[in-house]
Amino acid sequence: MAKKRNQRNLKAVQAAKARKKRRNRRRRRAIVLAIEVIILLALSATAFVMAKYDKFQRVEINSDDIKINSGVKKEGYTTVALFGGDSREGELEAGTRTDTIIIVALDHKEGVIRMASIYRDTLLQQDDNTYNKANHAYFSGGPKAAINMLNKNLDLDIQDYATVDFKAMSDVVDMLGGIKIQVTDPEAKMLNKYVGETAKASKKKAHKLNGGGVYTLDGPQAVTYARLRKLEGGDYKRTERQRLVIKKLYEKGIKADIGTLNKIVDKIFPQVSTSFSLKDVLSLAASASSYKLGDSQGFPFEKTDGIIYRNAGDVVVPLGLAENVEELHKFLYPNETKTVSSTVQMISTEISNLTNVVRPANMNTEEETNTDNNSNINNNNNSNKPVITNSTSDSGKSKSNNNTTGGGAE
């Protein structure tokens, strides 16, 4: 009897060991299968991006042509320039009006994306050392000149850019099912006035709003909303709307299914001009979901307007470019401790001399909180503002700014 019990126990132990081995084999097979699936998905995503990459309007920019101020290289951050073009015909090179200029800083350590809109009428030194509006650089010299202008005036180390046609934004909004935004009564009234023009340019139907309220805006409505200017806050408030629309699109885009994203890529990529290489695009696509969208601001933080500068027309003048650049870096690069370069200091002094605009001695940049509108020092009586004529000394001959635009939604 004892012998039989021992045999039964032995068989039970052997059976248990066999079951454990089978479970371990299944577990190993499951792990191997999971790894294979992950590799397959990664390869599929890579193949997908590679297949779509040639749809971009790719612009090769030689790194030797990009100018960066001495000692400006950023560690732990990637900074790119995002331009909103208004070509209407899909041409996004020199001659394109860029109503939107946004600096995008990717903080790799914190996984945060921060954005700063550069007001298009800001008086800055151009690539040829003359002074004109910020958006004149792209109009006169294309993306390379615009990147160099931003790097020189703001102590940035931008190497790459992306320019999106406004029609593309309209298409993205519609493909994502619209974006929910609270619209004020004045905004709704102005939007209704110009949405027909936007819809016509994007070959879509125009739909008007029934006064202020929370709406799911369609493509033409969202683009028109982002471009409203002739309202309280002017261009400062407009850049705030632009950043809000981008934020809403980002939030919906990262949740979209692969089928929707595929349609967006096929429709939108031909309307995007960029210097990003295939390797860059693959890297950005792989890490996109690991970043969250942080705060956004408008630049310059402290400013004055209503000043007529030569052929540039009405310009926005920083109240101390150097001080504003310091604030910009504290916002975009919170872990950075560097001071502004001698190049920015020189440009800051020249702007003050050319415009007679001097930063008030009692202005404390640590206490002045930037909110796009609150820090704007403005005098509605423009007759008291200086008018800078062609006889005023400059570092070079001023060129006419042909990219001024009109209309409440321009």
Side-chain angles (χ1 to χ4, degrees), residues 58 68 85 98 111 119 122-123 133 138 158 160 170 178 190 193 212 224 232 251 259 325 331 343 367 382 386:
R58 176 81 163 87
I68 300 174
T98 50
Y119 301 129
T122 306
L123 185 67
K133 294 181 178 181
Y138 198 111
I158 298 171
D160 290 296
S170 178
M190 189 67 72
K193 182 177 180 181
T224 306
E232 184 178 358
E251 291 171 350
V325 169
F331 168 68
T343 300
E367 296 177 356
N382 290 341

Side-chain angles (χ1 to χ4, degrees), residues 19-297:
R19 287 195 298 272
K20 185 175 181 181
K21 287 182 179 179
R22 286 196 296 271
R23 285 197 300 270
N24 287 338
R25 282 199 297 270
R26 287 196 296 269
R27 188 177 295 113
R28 284 195 294 271
R29 284 198 297 269
I31 292 172
V32 171
L33 180 61
I35 293 172
E36 289 175 345
V37 169
I38 291 172
I39 293 174
L40 181 61
L41 288 173
L43 290 173
S44 298
T46 301
F48 174 80
V49 175
M50 291 177 68
K52 303 296 183 182
Y53 178 73
D54 63 354
K55 293 180 179 291
F56 279 127
Q57 295 183 37
R58 176 81 163 87
V59 175
E60 188 79 35
I61 296 181
N62 192 317
S63 60
D64 293 336
D65 294 332
I66 298 298
K67 302 171 186 176
I68 300 174
N69 295 340
S70 178
V72 165
K73 186 67 178 177
K74 302 289 180 294
E75 299 295 336
Y77 298 95
T78 298
T79 310
V80 300
L82 177 62
F83 302 103
D86 186 16
S87 70
R88 306 293 171 96
E89 300 299 328
E91 296 296 329
L92 300 174
E93 300 307 308
T96 299
R97 296 180 298 177
T98 50
D99 287 346
T100 302
I101 305 172
I102 297 179
I103 306 303
V104 181
L106 284 74
D107 187 330
H108 301 306
K109 182 179 179 180
E110 297 184 12
V112 176
I113 300 173
R114 302 181 184 91
M115 297 188 299
S117 298
I118 310 302
Y119 301 129
R120 65 176 190 173
D121 293 338
T122 306
L123 185 67
L124 294 173
Q125 190 180 92
Q126 303 296 303
D127 205 19
D128 62 358
N129 295 328
T130 63
Y131 285 84
N132 212 314
K133 294 181 178 181
N135 67 347
H136 178 73
Y138 198 111
F139 182 85
S140 62
K144 184 182 73 174
I147 290 173
N148 285 334
M149 179 273 298
L150 293 171
N151 284 344
K152 178 165 61 171
N153 287 271
L154 308 180
D155 268 350
L156 301 174
D157 65 343
I158 298 171
Q159 300 281 346
D160 290 296
Y161 82 98
T163 302
V164 182
D165 187 71
F166 279 112
K167 182 180 179 297
M169 183 188 292
S170 178
D171 290 334
V172 172
V173 172
D174 284 338
M175 289 179 170
L176 290 175
I179 53 175
K180 186 174 289 186
I181 288 179
Q182 184 167 353
V183 182
T184 66
D185 284 326
E187 288 172 339
K189 184 177 180 180
M190 189 67 72
L191 185 153
N192 288 340
K193 182 177 180 181
Y194 291 99
V195 71
E197 178 185 334
T198 306
K200 183 179 180 181
S202 55
K203 298 179 182 179
K204 300 175 185 287
K205 293 185 67 174
H207 301 99
K208 295 186 176 183
L209 304 181
N210 296 317
V214 177
Y215 291 92
T216 298
L217 301 182
D218 63 20
Q221 290 171 337
V223 171
T224 306
Y225 171 83
R227 303 190 67 197
L228 295 177
R229 179 170 60 91
K230 290 189 175 180
L231 291 169
E232 184 178 358
D235 195 44
Y236 311 129
K237 191 68 177 178
R238 174 168 72 165
T239 62
E240 187 178 310
R241 295 188 194 96
Q242 291 171 349
R243 296 194 303 272
L244 176 60
V245 169
I246 291 172
K247 179 182 179 182
K248 296 290 185 179
L249 286 175
Y250 181 83
E251 291 171 350
K252 293 202 74 172
I254 60 175
K255 298 176 183 177
D257 59 76
I258 189 65
T260 300
L261 291 176
N262 186 47
K263 291 178 182 177
I264 290 175
V265 167
D266 286 339
K267 184 76 172 179
I268 303 308
F269 275 24
Q271 302 177 66
V272 176
S273 168
T274 185
S275 60
F276 284 113
S277 66
L278 178 58
K279 180 181 177 181
D280 295 329
V281 173
L282 287 171
S283 177
L284 290 170
S287 61
S289 61
S290 62
Y291 285 86
K292 64 179 180 180
L293 203 56
D295 294 334
S296 62
Q297 298 284 5

Side-chain angles (χ1 to χ4, degrees), residues 346-358 388 392-393:
M346 179 271 294
I347 295 173
S348 182
T349 300
E350 282 195 357
I351 290 176
S352 293
N353 292 338
L354 289 169
T355 62
N356 297 321
V357 173
V358 180
I388 314 301
T392 305
S393 176

Side-chain angles (χ1 to χ4, degrees), residues 301 303 368-377:
F301 302 109
K303 55 201 172 291
E368 289 287 325
T369 302
N370 169 44
T371 57
D372 273 6
N373 293 311
N374 295 350
S375 57
N376 180 41
I377 298 180

